[in-house]
């Protein structure tokens, strides 16, 4: 705690220093508009501080003070900043692009900050506390990295680092550092990885030395802070001193050693001294060496985090960062249960698996019938004791073994009876028999996580080698095999899987589950990613190597897959190692020890559920803190409504990088090609990706010839960031065969959060973005030919939490209509199909409504052109927003004229542009009026738990608060060829509400059939809730940008800004 | 070598129950058809004869209970798997007491008896499809979630998946196992839908034997020591098209069994017996 206090003070100090630092760091990376950045600086600070607060869960008190001050400024800037960031993009950016590509996509300094924070949050939340605090060095590291590229020498960066540090004042800059920490972390880690790997190969000692001063310095600092957290006063003092002296003293502190305690499968303890900065790998290998285990890929180390949750130690990352303040206490256990243990090469591996399963069984994690308990127990006896010896083996000889959670005399008798029948069986044979039977158990290798379905009903998510299983009580109510899963993602405490449409279904659906908290959601996600990779892929996907990557969670399983490990183990050429069985070591101990281990292990599986409450506190606390802080600010009652109508091209949207990050977070796309990781890819890689993407498209599109590749190519070839984008986007867009119809259920269950945010939330901003989707050439999907209107309504409350942004993804896919209800969808699908067959010319870019038929080639050109245009656009919108804020334009609809004009100009270039026109006019009114201030929305999770049943529920509660409300609507001036006025035939209508701690997103997807053309209209309502602490303008801009990016095929036809401010009365 | 989940279709005993007079008038039925009691009895006797004489099973015949018009459909009263018998709690009120005699008989056989004490749970054996590797439980008018949960708790080794049943009395009204890994399934929409769900829910691959008639998809598969694969199925008189499908199963010992009259009271072939394997596997 002492440390945290320190950090708090740092936070306060930061505002002053932060801007400088950021600018320094940002400049290289972010070509973004100066204006935006300038305006953004404060927001950054604020957000940072807020983030920092949220991150530092333990230290709420000091922080609150800082944000309010900043908040006041924000408000003033408020609307002016609204759309600016993305709208403002100027051509200069395009020039800068190369840089951007290399660097993480940062359009807006603000965005960058947020995202970075997000990233930082994740690691912290996930694993460790260290991250938040560690920093002074890291910040500089980022800069370093940038420079490194150019210079490629570490020394120089170091120097710079130091210089910077000095200038900045090392300790004070913490918050800033935090932000960058993510990046730096990633980068660091990668670097470290390489280095460490080398080192590991060599000698460990050397390793440390080799790391070099700079790393050490960084590490040292990190350590110092971490150490502080640990509460080791001795070190703290030293560290603090060092911190003050920083650069000079760092060197001295290398190589601190820590003793790790590892509980092995037989219950024994293994202790091992590791360097404090060592990665998990080191420890893991130590343990495996100790065990003489070669087939180690099935195993892992786990630890308990602060919330007593079992977490797997990521071997590629520093131990310290993961365990945070927790003890250096680990458990060695089976991570991937081989479906067929007989294919394991070595008996010792099987034996270890047996030990794990005995634990699983004794703890009840692996349920068995009586007979099975008896049978497996008898093999255990045979394996451990050999043949039954009537002389030596009385009944009590087995009392030391635990065969079942509730071991009865009857069971023991049965075990003995069966044991007698195994006479002559060798231990290895007994183990093999044990495994042959255990593997058949339905819960074998199923990693269970508590969750809730759409109705708040407790369910269990079971991750196993085959896929994801859904249980209610002991009943399996659904199953999603890996091949059926297109994408895995999590946002906040929600976990989503995107399902490949079945034979009869033509649309993807997304199923959401509510986990007890964010960490639990991420944990499930990680486990899924790992299991999928391990069991389903031949080789792991390449981890992201981008140094500047800011994407959310880049986590990927980087170990060997089962296929690889099998191959590797087939090469094992050593005499079967002799190993001691527990019985020979200590008969009674082996199983006795197990229970202890079980607890920890069990927690892994169940941890999410059981421990969740504790976890919740952590994750939720953030939001709470933030909110609390916000309140005071909220008092200032300012109501500003600005509506902005603008058109967005699909093409333009994709190129925004900021979005990429958002999507990137937490999303795991099944197909390696589509993975987000490849920022660094070279052109060749990009091309490969493209090829793979096109394959995907083909597969998805059933016989539909490839849509114009040109656009894809362009995107792909563009800056790395662009590539990413495509990859992320590509999946959603391409995957849905008939995009128009797909709607996803991002449903969420009521959040468990104790906070009761609803009442607390003071200021809300609602951004309604209507997008008209034109058949996009990009979307290879057949629907492209069909003009589709999509209204996207997003309700989003921006919280400090970056992760909220993830939602965008789901909504992003306009085509995807979540069909949890198959029945509903069926009709529309058929219709679409017909259309598709006619209209789906492979190469043709179909924007029927627009009548712009762009050839692939031209399209590409257009895209290029589009960017500049977009930038232009952004500028224009800026103008309007500025006006609005200044005037605090009352509810009147702001004349869209400037925007419109811009839009018109742009349109020609934009492929989709024409489509956008169509819908624009209609939308505004509908959207504007429709939404009352939404304070909070109950979350409902729609899950397909029953294949046959689907439930959507959304409830909105409007708290009674005195508020001022102003609404401004901007509409795109463009006229619709189709005319919205046409009633059309309603094909489908869906409402999806999703909510996370601070975010409420409501998406209405309406599909109508007009004159033979299907329109998809997506209305997104984004509720941004918070005080002045939150930069609403920025948030709004971000939201709009995201919406655009999410639905590149669509155009934004209307933006309604509804600002509600709680009146002074509420100030208490 | 002792092994779990082996010997699917191996049975040594069959429990049946005689036809009560009251069946003709009082037995539950969805069709409202007149039932010829004599024919029912004939069918029953043929059925028992096949089990006993053709297949050599130990047939345990319970006496009819006139107060229980549906008691001949003994399958609904208990689910036996391995050496454990779950005594059901039929969803139909009039059938609750059928379990008493069944339970007594199963206890007599030395099976581990598990009873459903939960008053909110309903389960009828006709909704329970055991494939050899897992259970599917139809959620129907007669069986609810709670009943399925209890079944899952009873047979812990196996995955128990629920399958909504629509337009049919029981899950097994339109499907059954026709061999190891072979599901006989009717052609109706409801049947096909249920099959899809089952396929999705399962870690295992099943082949399917699609039959034109839903009712014909209710057949009895056994794997008997001296006989190999045995399949009791519908007669050509009853379902000519479906019978042809069965006849394509060359490796099976095919035994057409008449079920025409019992079908009028929603009885299938499987309904009239509880098959038990008393041979010690483990």
């Amino acid at each position: 705690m002492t440390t945290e206090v320190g950090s708090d003070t740092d936070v306060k100090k930061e505002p002053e220093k932060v801007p400088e630092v950021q600018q320094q760091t940002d400049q290289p990376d972010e070509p973004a508009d100066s204006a935006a950045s300038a305006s953004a600086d404060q927001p950054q600070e604020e957000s940072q501080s807020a983030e920092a607060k949220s991150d530092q869960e333990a230290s709420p008190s000091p922080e609150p003070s800082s944000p309010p001050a900043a908040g006041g400024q924000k408000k003033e800037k408020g609307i002016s900043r609204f759309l600016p960031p993305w709208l403002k993009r100027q051509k200069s950016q395009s020039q800068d692009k190369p840089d951007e590509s290399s660097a993480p996509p940062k359009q807006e300094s603000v965005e960058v900050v947020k995202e970075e924070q997000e990233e930082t949050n994740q690691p912290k939340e996930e694993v460790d506390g260290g991250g938040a605090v560690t920093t002074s060095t890291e910040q500089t590291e980022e800069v370093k990295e940038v420079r490194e590229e150019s210079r490629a020498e570490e020394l120089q960066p170091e120097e710079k680092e130091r210089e910077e540090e000095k200038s900045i004042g090392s300790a004070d800059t913490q918050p800033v550092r935090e932000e960058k920490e993510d990046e730096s972390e990633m980068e660091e880690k990668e670097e470290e990885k390489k280095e460490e790997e080398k080192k590991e190969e060599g000698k460990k000692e050397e390793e440390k030395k080799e790391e070099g001063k700079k790393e050490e310095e960084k590490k040292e600092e990190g350590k110092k802070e971490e150490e502080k957290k640990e509460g080791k006063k001795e070190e703290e003092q030293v560290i603090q001193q060092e911190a003050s002296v920083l650069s000079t003293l760092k060197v001295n502190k290398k190589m601190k050693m820590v003793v790790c305690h590892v509980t092995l499968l037989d219950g024994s303890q293994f202790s091992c001294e590791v360097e404090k900065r060592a990665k998990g790998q080191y420890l893991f290998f130590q343990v495996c060496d100790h065990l003489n285990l070669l087939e180690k890929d099935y195993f892992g180390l786990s630890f308990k985090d602060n919330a007593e949750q079992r977490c797997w130690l990521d071997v590629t990352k520093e131990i310290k960062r993961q365990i945070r303040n927790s003890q250096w206490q680990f458990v060695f256990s089976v991570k991937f249960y081989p479906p067929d243990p007989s294919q394991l090469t070595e008996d010792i591996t099987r034996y270890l698996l047996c030990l794990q399963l005995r634990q699983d069984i004794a703890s009840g994690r692996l349920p068995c019938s009586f007979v099975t308990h008896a049978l497996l127990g008898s093999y255990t006896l045979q394996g451990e004791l050999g043949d039954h010896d009537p002389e030596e083996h009385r009944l009590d000889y087995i009392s030391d073994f635990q065969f079942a959670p509730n071991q009865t005399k009857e069971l023991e008798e049965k075990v003995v009876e069966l044991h007698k029948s195994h006479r002559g069986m060798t231990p290895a044979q007994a183990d093999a028999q044990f495994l042959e039977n255990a593997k058949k158990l339905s819960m074998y290798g199923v990693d269970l996580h508590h969750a809730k379905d759409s109705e708040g009903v407790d369910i269990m998510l079971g991750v196993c080698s085959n896929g994801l299983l859904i249980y209610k009580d002991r009943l399996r109510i659904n199953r999603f095999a890996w091949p059926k899963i297109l994408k895995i993602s999590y946002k906040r405490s929600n976990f989503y899987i995107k399902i490949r449409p079945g034979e009869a279904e033509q649309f993807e659906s997304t199923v959401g589950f509510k986990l007890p908290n964010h960490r639990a959601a991420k944990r499930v996600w990680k486990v899924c990613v790992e299991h999928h990779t391990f069991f389903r892929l031949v080789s792991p996907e390449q981890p992201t190597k981008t140094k500047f990557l800011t994407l959310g969670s880049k986590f990927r399983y980087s170990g060997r897959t089962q296929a690889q490990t099998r191959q590797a183990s087939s090469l094992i050429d050593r005499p079967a190692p002799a190993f001691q069985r527990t019985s020979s070591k200590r008969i009674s101990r082996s199983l006795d020890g197990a229970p202890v281990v079980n607890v920890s292990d069990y927690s892994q599986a169940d941890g999410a559920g059981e421990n969740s409450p504790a976890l919740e506190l952590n994750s939720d606390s953030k939001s709470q803190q933030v909110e609390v802080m916000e309140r005071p600010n909220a008092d200032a009652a300012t109501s500003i409504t600005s509506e902005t109508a603008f058109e967005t091209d699909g093409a333009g949207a994709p190129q925004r990088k900021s979005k990429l990050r958002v999507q990137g977070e937490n999303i795991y796309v099944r197909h390696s090609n589509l993975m987000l990781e490849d920022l660094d890819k070279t052109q060749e890689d990009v091309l490969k990706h493209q090829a793979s993407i096109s394959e995907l498209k083909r597969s998805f599109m059933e016989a539909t010839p490839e849509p114009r590749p040109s656009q894809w190519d362009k995107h792909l070839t563009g800056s790395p960031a662009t590539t990413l984008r495509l990859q992320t986007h590509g999946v959603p867009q391409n995957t849905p065969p008939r995009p128009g119809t797909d709607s996803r259920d991002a449903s969420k269950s009521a959040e468990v959060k104790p906070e009761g945010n609803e009442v607390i939330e003071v200021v809300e901003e609602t951004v309604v973005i209507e997008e008209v989707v034109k058949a996009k050439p990009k979307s290879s999907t057949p629907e492209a030919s069909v003009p589709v209107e999509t209204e996207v309504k997003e309700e989003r409350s921006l919280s400090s939490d970056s992760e909220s942004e993830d939602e965008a993804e789901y909504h992003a896919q306009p085509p995807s209509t979540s069909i949890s209800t198959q029945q509903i969808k069926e009709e529309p699908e058929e219709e679409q199909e017909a259309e598709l067959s006619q209209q789906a010319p492979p190469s043709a870019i179909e924007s029927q409504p627009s009548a712009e038929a762009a050839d692939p080639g031209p399209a590409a050109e257009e895209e290029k052109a589009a960017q500049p245009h977009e930038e232009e656009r952004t500028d224009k919108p800026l103008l309007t927003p500025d006006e609005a804020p200044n005037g605090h334009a009352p509810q009147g609809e702001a004349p869209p004229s400037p925007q419109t004009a811009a839009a018109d100009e742009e349109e020609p270039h934009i492929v989709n542009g024409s489509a956008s026109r169509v819908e624009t006019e209609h939308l505004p009114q509908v959207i504007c009026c429709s939404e009352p201030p939404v304070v909070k929305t109950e979350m409902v999770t729609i899950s397909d738990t029953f294949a046959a049943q689907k439930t959507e529920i959304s409830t909105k509660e409007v708290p009674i608060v005195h508020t001022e409300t102003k609404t401004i609507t901007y509409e795109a001036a463009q006229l619709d060829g189709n005319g919205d006025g046409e009633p059309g035939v309603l094909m489908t209508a869906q409402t999806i509400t999703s909510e996370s701690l601070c975010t409420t997103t409501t998406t209405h997807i309406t599909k109508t059939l007009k004159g033979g053309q299907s329109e998809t209209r997506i209305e997104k309502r984004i509720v941004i809730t918070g005080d002045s602490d939150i930069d609403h303008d920025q948030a709004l801009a971000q939201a709009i940008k995201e919406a655009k990016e999410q639905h590149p095929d669509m155009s934004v036809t209307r933006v309604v800004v509804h600002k509600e401010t709680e009146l002074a009365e509420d100030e208490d | 070598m002792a092994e779990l989940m082996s010997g699917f279709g191996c049975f040594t005993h069959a429990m049946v129950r005689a036809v009560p007079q009251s069946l003709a008038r009082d037995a539950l039925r969805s069709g409202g058809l007149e039932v010829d009691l004599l024919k029912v009895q004939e069918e029953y006797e043929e059925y028992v004869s096949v089990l006993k004489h053709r297949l050599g099973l130990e047939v345990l015949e319970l006496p009819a209970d006139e107060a229980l018009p549906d008691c001949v459909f003994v399958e609904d009263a208990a689910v036996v798997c391995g050496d454990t018998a779950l005594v059901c709690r039929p969803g139909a009120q009039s059938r609750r007491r059928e379990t008493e005699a069944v339970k007594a008989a199963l206890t007599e056989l030395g099976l581990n008896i598990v009873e459903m004490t939960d008053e909110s749970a309903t389960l009828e054996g006709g909704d329970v499809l055991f494939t050899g590797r897992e259970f599917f439980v139809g959620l129907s008018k007669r069986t609810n979630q709670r009943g399925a949960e209890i079944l899952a708790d009873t047979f812990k080794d196996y995955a128990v998946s629920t399958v909504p049943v629509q337009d049919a009395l029981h899950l097994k009204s339109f499907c059954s196992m026709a061999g190891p890994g072979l599901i006989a399934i009717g052609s109706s929409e409801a049947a096909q839908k249920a099959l899809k769900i089952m396929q999705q829910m399962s870690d295992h691959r099943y082949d399917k034997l699609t039959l034109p008639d839903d009712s014909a998809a209710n057949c009895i598969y056994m794997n008997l020591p001296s006989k190999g694969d045995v399949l009791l199925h519908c007669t050509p008189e009853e379902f000519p098209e479906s019978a042809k499908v069965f006849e394509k199963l060359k490796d099976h010992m095919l035994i057409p069994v008449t079920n025409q009259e019992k079908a009028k009271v929603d009885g299938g072939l499987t309904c009239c017996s509880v098959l038990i394997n008393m041979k010690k596997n483990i």
Side-chain angles (χ1 to χ4, degrees), chain A residues 203-340:
Chain A
K203 299 174 183 177
K204 301 160 188 176
E205 295 276 346
E206 292 180 357
E207 209 186 286
K208 301 169 185 176
K209 295 179 181 178
E210 287 179 357
E211 283 186 354
K213 299 174 182 177
K214 113 180 168 185
E215 282 192 0
E216 296 223 352
E217 288 178 358
K218 298 174 183 177
K219 293 180 180 178
E220 291 279 358
E221 288 184 358
K223 291 179 183 177
K224 297 170 185 175
E225 293 182 357
E226 290 175 359
E227 288 177 356
K228 291 178 183 178
K229 282 191 175 180
E230 287 185 1
K232 300 180 181 177
K233 296 179 180 178
E234 298 177 354
E235 292 181 358
E236 269 193 34
Q237 293 177 352
V238 178
I239 294 167
Q240 290 178 351
Q241 292 178 353
E242 286 185 3
S244 59
V245 188
L246 275 185
S247 59
T248 56
L249 296 183
K250 292 178 182 175
V251 180
N252 296 338
K253 290 203 172 178
K254 301 177 182 179
M255 334 247 320
K256 294 190 177 173
M257 303 301 283
V258 177
V259 176
C260 297
H261 300 280
V262 181
T263 303
L264 303 179
L265 285 167
D266 61 2
S268 63
Q269 288 283 327
F270 169 73
S271 296
C272 165
E273 200 177 49
V274 301
E275 197 233 338
K276 220 172 183 181
R277 292 278 298 190
K279 293 187 177 174
Q281 224 162 15
Y282 177 79
L283 177 60
F284 182 64
F285 286 167
Q286 289 294 309
V287 175
C288 290
D289 280 351
H290 172 75
L291 293 170
N292 201 11
L293 173 65
L294 291 185
E295 295 176 285
K296 49 174 83 90
D297 299 297
Y298 299 95
F299 301 84
L301 290 173
S302 60
F303 61 93
K304 274 189 182 174
D305 66 10
N306 300 333
E308 292 295 296
Q309 292 289 326
R310 262 291 144 205
C311 298
W312 288 109
L313 187 70
D314 188 335
V315 295
T316 66
K317 296 179 180 172
E318 272 180 38
I319 299 170
K320 180 59 188 166
R321 279 183 191 274
Q322 300 181 61
I323 64 172
R324 292 187 156 198
N325 304 330
S326 308
Q327 306 266 329
W328 290 73
Q329 180 78 45
F330 305 91
V331 174
F332 178 82
S333 49
V334 175
K335 188 173 188 182
F336 303 111
Y337 290 74
D340 187 358

Side-chain angles (χ1 to χ4, degrees), chain A residues 550-587:
Chain A
T550 50
L551 281 179
S553 174
K554 297 161 222 164
F555 172 79
R556 295 294 181 269
Y557 175 70
S558 56
R560 284 198 286 219
T561 64
Q562 181 175 240
Q564 288 173 326
T565 194
R566 279 182 183 169
Q567 192 174 11
S569 55
S570 69
L571 301 177
I572 292 177
D573 183 20
R574 68 172 180 182
F579 56 91
Q580 275 194 328
R581 290 174 180 273
T582 52
S583 59
S584 38
K585 293 184 202 167
R586 40 168 198 95
I587 296 176

Side-chain angles (χ1 to χ4, degrees), chain A residues 369 372 440 473 476 479, chain B residues 3-4 149 157 160 201 203:
Chain A
S369 66
T372 304
K440 295 177 183 173
D473 293 316
R476 184 184 294 180
R479 171 179 174 273
Chain B
E3 199 171 321
L4 297 173
E149 286 171 14
D157 293 349
V160 178
M201 302 276 251
D203 296 323

